[in-house]
């Protein structure tokens, strides 16, 4: 199993990433709610409308990705508390620390 120092390092990484995701999610939500300022899309070129639709879809996809990563971080933090962190759920073998450093969740 990992040393206390290693586990503390990974836990800090998880908390930092969780905070970063919350900030990024808040900024993305603001971007998603901003409109073009146009009262009507009647005189807009179809390419403008499709660009707006693309951006809205991209924003939603980013939000979904951030939500998934947040859930994975919560599961990892719960596993730390349970004492199962760093153990593969499938084969029950220890995951190398070097790998956990890269993707701690």
């Amino acid at each position: 199993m990992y040393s206390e120092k290693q586990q503390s390092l990974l836990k800090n990484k998880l908390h930092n990433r969780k905070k970063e995701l919350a900030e990024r999610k808040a900024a993305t939500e603001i971007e998603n709610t901003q409109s073009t300022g146009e009262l009507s899309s009647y005189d807009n070129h179809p390419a403008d409308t499709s660009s707006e639709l693309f951006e809205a879809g991209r924003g939603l996809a980013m939000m979904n990705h951030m939500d998934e990563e947040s859930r994975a971080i919560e599961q990892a933090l719960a596993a730390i508390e349970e004492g199962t962190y760093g153990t593969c759920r499938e084969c029950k073998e220890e995951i190398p620390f070097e790998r956990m450093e890269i993707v701690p969740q």
Side-chain angles (χ1 to χ4, degrees), residues 24-36 52-64 66:
R24 188 176 284 170
K25 186 175 178 181
T28 302
E29 285 175 342
I30 291 169
E31 289 174 15
N32 287 347
T33 58
Q34 291 177 339
S35 67
T36 61
E52 290 172 15
L53 183 62
F54 170 80
E55 288 300 322
R58 185 177 67 104
L60 288 173
M62 288 175 58
M63 294 292 285
N64 286 338
M66 287 185 274

Side-chain angles (χ1 to χ4, degrees), residues 2-101:
Y2 309 133
S3 70
E4 275 189 46
K5 184 177 178 182
Q6 289 173 322
Q7 199 161 16
S8 177
L9 173 78
L10 294 172
K11 190 174 183 178
N12 286 337
K13 280 186 166 202
L14 288 166
H15 282 293
N16 290 339
R17 181 63 181 157
K18 182 179 175 181
K19 181 181 174 186
E20 180 184 322
L21 281 172
E23 292 169 357
R24 188 176 284 170
K25 186 175 178 181
T28 302
E29 285 175 342
I30 291 169
E31 289 174 15
N32 287 347
T33 58
Q34 291 177 339
S35 67
T36 61
E38 299 282 337
L39 296 176
S40 169
S41 61
Y42 179 73
D43 62 344
N44 283 354
H45 189 276
D48 292 335
T49 305
S50 65
S51 293
E52 290 172 15
L53 183 62
F54 170 80
E55 288 300 322
R58 185 177 67 104
L60 288 173
M62 288 175 58
M63 294 292 285
N64 286 338
H65 177 74
M66 287 185 274
D67 287 342
E68 288 175 16
E69 188 173 353
S70 293
R71 279 190 293 276
I73 289 170
E74 288 299 326
Q75 289 175 348
L77 291 170
I80 288 173
E81 296 302 316
E82 294 168 0
T84 60
Y85 183 71
T87 303
C88 177
R89 291 184 196 145
E90 299 297 318
C91 67
K92 308 296 183 216
E93 290 187 25
E94 185 175 321
I95 300 168
F97 176 75
E98 293 79 13
R99 182 172 180 187
M100 295 300 282
E101 270 189 305

